[in-house]
Amino acid sequence: MKRGHGRKAAKGAADFFKVIWYCMKTLWGTSPRYFAIRIALSIVSLSAPFAVITLTKSLMELLASGYAQASAANAAIGQCLALSLALLALNVLGRAADTLDAYYSGLQRDAMEASVKYRIMEKAAGLDLSFFDSTAFYNEVCDADRNSPLITSTAFYAMDLARYLVQFLVAFAYLFRVSPALPFAFVASAIPCTVVQIKQVEAIYGFQRQYLGEERKMQYTSDVLLLREFAKDVRVYNLFPFISRKFRDIWNALFSKKRGISLRHTRALLALFALPEAVAAASLFLLGASVVMGRRTIGDYTFLQGAMAQTLSGVYLVISSYAQLSDGKMRIQNYMRFLGFPNKVCENGTLELGTGLFCIEFKNVSFRYDDGLPWVLKNVSFSFHSRQKIALVGANGSGKSTVVKLLLRFYDPVEGQILVDGKDIREYGLASYRRHFSTVFQDYSNYAFNVRESVGLSDVSRANDEAGILAALRESGADAFVSGFPQGLDTYLTRRYEENGQELSGGQWQKMAIARACFRKADIYVLDEPSAALDAQSEDEVFRMFHAMHEGKGAVLISHRLSNVHLSDMILVLDHGTLAEQGTHKELMAADGAYAHMYRLQAEKYKDVG
């Protein structure tokens, strides 16, 4: 049992120093210049108080001496002036070092926070889409993002711990020269406080990790009342009482539990913090008694008083920074784990997919989102080339969007293969493969950047191609309203990013998304319900535009309105994850199967009612 505790303690110490090393590397990597300057300033700040203690001892002994002769008194006054000026210089130097350290630490903190945020964003942008389907992953993202300032603070605590530890060791050495037992008494009196503080930190952070889901729910209820997308419903349905009650219920439950954890440890700390103070008070009494009895000088008393103050200060600072670092250690470890999340869709392909005609084949492809969940696709096989326009039709949940996700390699098949020109899709580099596609998803994104940027996002290397942006706006029909904006292409969309932004309707947003897809010079355009928010005329224009203006290009169309897909080169009918039918519109109507049945049902709705 003892051996197990020893291994656990050794691992804990190893993890602790690993975190410190990681923090130091991160600080250095963020700004080597600021890091070096702060180290130099820390040396000055550490040295100045001990030099002041030594000079103060000499000054006190000088003042305690008697001088019968005027010449000796004049010399003593000169020494007193020199010591006073030296003390002034040291105090000013120490204050200046602290002030400069605050300045440079502020700059380094800002740089560090930006660096941490950037790394979180970079990691999230590169992760598989599957992570975003997981509630547990959202908890990890929220934890990393919420704790990003604390991650920065932890790196600073690591640096502070090193500084305060040096301060304590120097003060320890000063005291040890006079009384070997005294510094050990200070250390022993501080150990209980340290243990309790660490346990408090671990308990509170463990609580936060345990209830991450509840905090995420609390954040969501807050967003419902703060974000524009919910504002109309909140007012029409008077949702504030209901939403705020949900917020308060979660908060009250969490606060009550957290308060209980904090209170237990705080009571212990209130008692234990008196121990180091009691040791200091007893030491000063004994030292004062020795001065009264003539065994020590007033200079010795002043020197030891200063050394004990530095020791006690060092003890508290070490305890505080160690406790904060112990808290931060867990946050840093979770941050490191987040940065280390492995992708299932590995980007280890080396083949480049060049320009020109290429063929894509789904070969007995089966897929489900996780083990134990039902199959979304089962033994689906079809092929098409990059200049064909194919349509995916079927009821909701039939697997249409999953085919698109596999086509774009957001996921890999669980069974079967996707082949590109006869080679497994995984043999191609992801960037090389995906640059041949341009997309409009059903849950398309609305960007609050200006029109020029919002369209150019699909190919940022051509973001300054104004002629291309204007052409894409014409193709989508968005030029009809963009031309009326006072700043034209430089008009910002919504007021979320820029105060004078322009608000858009649902149909206008969809046209902007289509313009973005048009701007990218792709081989295959993927349109997942691209007309859901469009009126009938705009919808007809969009599909005719894609069939006419993208001649020689491929397209994958998903639409519930079968009148939009009848011109496609091939129609795939999916039913409960299986490929039920495939062929042209004429072929499928002649077969009189599932497609013909759906088409006639929709056509009936448009017949004149007598």
Side-chain angles (χ1 to χ4, degrees), residues 47-58 86-91 174 302:
S47 304
F50 294 102
V52 168
I53 291 171
T54 303
L55 290 179
T56 303
K57 175 181 183 297
S58 300
L87 285 170
L88 173 63
L90 284 169
N91 284 318
Y174 265 59
T302 303

Side-chain angles (χ1 to χ4, degrees), residues 255-307:
F255 179 73
S256 176
K257 293 173 183 175
K258 188 175 181 180
R259 181 177 57 189
I261 293 171
S262 296
L263 184 60
R264 288 197 302 271
H265 292 88
T266 300
R267 286 171 176 166
L269 285 173
L270 287 173
L272 293 174
F273 268 131
L275 289 176
E277 298 292 347
V279 171
S283 301
L284 285 175
F285 170 75
L286 295 173
L287 182 59
S290 67
V291 171
V292 172
M293 295 171 67
R295 290 198 293 267
R296 293 191 185 278
T297 67
I298 190 68
D300 292 333
Y301 183 90
T302 303
F303 176 83
L304 288 173
Q305 184 185 35

Side-chain angles (χ1 to χ4, degrees), residues 66-309:
Y67 297 96
Q69 298 180 356
S71 59
N74 289 334
I77 290 173
Q79 291 176 20
C80 182
L81 178 61
L83 287 169
S84 297
L85 291 175
L87 285 170
L88 173 63
L90 284 169
N91 284 318
V92 170
L93 183 63
R95 295 277 186 181
D98 290 340
T99 302
L100 288 172
D101 182 65
Y103 168 73
Y104 283 107
S105 65
L107 296 178
Q108 191 175 31
R109 182 179 294 275
D110 290 343
M112 176 79 175
E113 286 185 1
S115 175
V116 169
K117 278 277 190 183
Y118 176 83
R119 294 198 69 186
I120 292 171
M121 293 188 297
E122 181 183 39
K123 181 63 180 179
L127 284 171
D128 289 347
L129 190 66
S130 60
F131 283 102
F132 293 86
D133 294 330
S134 165
T135 302
F137 170 74
Y138 270 117
N139 287 344
E140 295 295 338
V141 170
C142 291
D143 186 51
D145 187 52
R146 182 191 63 192
N147 286 325
S148 58
L150 297 175
I151 291 165
T152 301
S153 298
T154 300
F156 278 74
Y157 290 136
M159 196 169 184
D160 289 341
L161 178 62
R163 172 181 172 178
Y164 299 144
L165 193 57
V166 171
Q167 174 185 332
F168 169 73
L169 291 174
V170 173
F172 186 96
Y174 265 59
L175 284 181
F176 187 82
R177 287 165 48 200
V178 179
S179 173
L182 188 56
F184 287 104
F186 274 113
V187 172
S189 67
I191 288 175
C193 298
T194 307
V195 171
V196 172
Q197 275 202 321
I198 293 170
K199 287 188 176 297
Q200 181 182 36
V201 163
E202 290 176 346
I204 290 175
Y205 189 61
F207 168 83
Q208 290 175 338
R209 291 286 300 174
Q210 181 182 356
Y211 291 99
L212 270 176
E214 295 302 299
E215 292 195 3
R216 179 173 46 80
K217 292 176 185 176
M218 221 166 74
Q219 182 61 52
Y220 178 78
T221 57
S222 172
D223 288 344
V224 168
L225 295 176
L226 296 176
L227 297 182
R228 184 179 184 276
E229 62 189 281
F230 303 105
K232 285 180 280 195
D233 278 359
V234 167
R235 283 149 181 79
V236 170
Y237 301 125
N238 189 27
L239 295 181
F240 175 74
F242 173 77
I243 300 297
S244 62
R245 184 168 64 252
K246 291 181 77 70
F247 179 92
R248 284 197 309 270
D249 289 346
I250 298 171
W251 185 87
N252 286 335
L254 291 179
F255 179 73
S256 176
K257 293 173 183 175
K258 188 175 181 180
R259 181 177 57 189
I261 293 171
S262 296
L263 184 60
R264 288 197 302 271
H265 292 88
T266 300
R267 286 171 176 166
L269 285 173
L270 287 173
L272 293 174
F273 268 131
L275 289 176
E277 298 292 347
V279 171
S283 301
L284 285 175
F285 170 75
L286 295 173
L287 182 59
S290 67
V291 171
V292 172
M293 295 171 67
R295 290 198 293 267
R296 293 191 185 278
T297 67
I298 190 68
D300 292 333
Y301 183 90
T302 303
F303 176 83
L304 288 173
Q305 184 185 35
M308 280 194 293

Side-chain angles (χ1 to χ4, degrees), residues 302-339:
T302 303
F303 176 83
L304 288 173
Q305 184 185 35
M308 280 194 293
Q310 286 296 312
T311 305
L312 195 59
S313 171
V315 166
Y316 285 138
L317 291 172
V318 167
I319 291 173
S320 174
S321 56
Y322 182 82
Q324 295 288 356
L325 191 56
S326 296
D327 178 21
K329 181 190 77 169
M330 292 175 279
R331 301 177 195 277
I332 288 279
Q333 286 174 329
N334 286 322
Y335 171 67
M336 292 167 67
R337 187 176 67 251
F338 170 76
L339 295 181

Side-chain angles (χ1 to χ4, degrees), residues 360-375:
I360 297 174
E361 179 184 3
F362 277 56
K363 188 175 182 180
N364 298 320
V365 168
S366 296
F367 180 80
R368 56 184 174 188
Y369 285 96
D370 204 354
D371 295 340
L373 293 179
W375 292 97

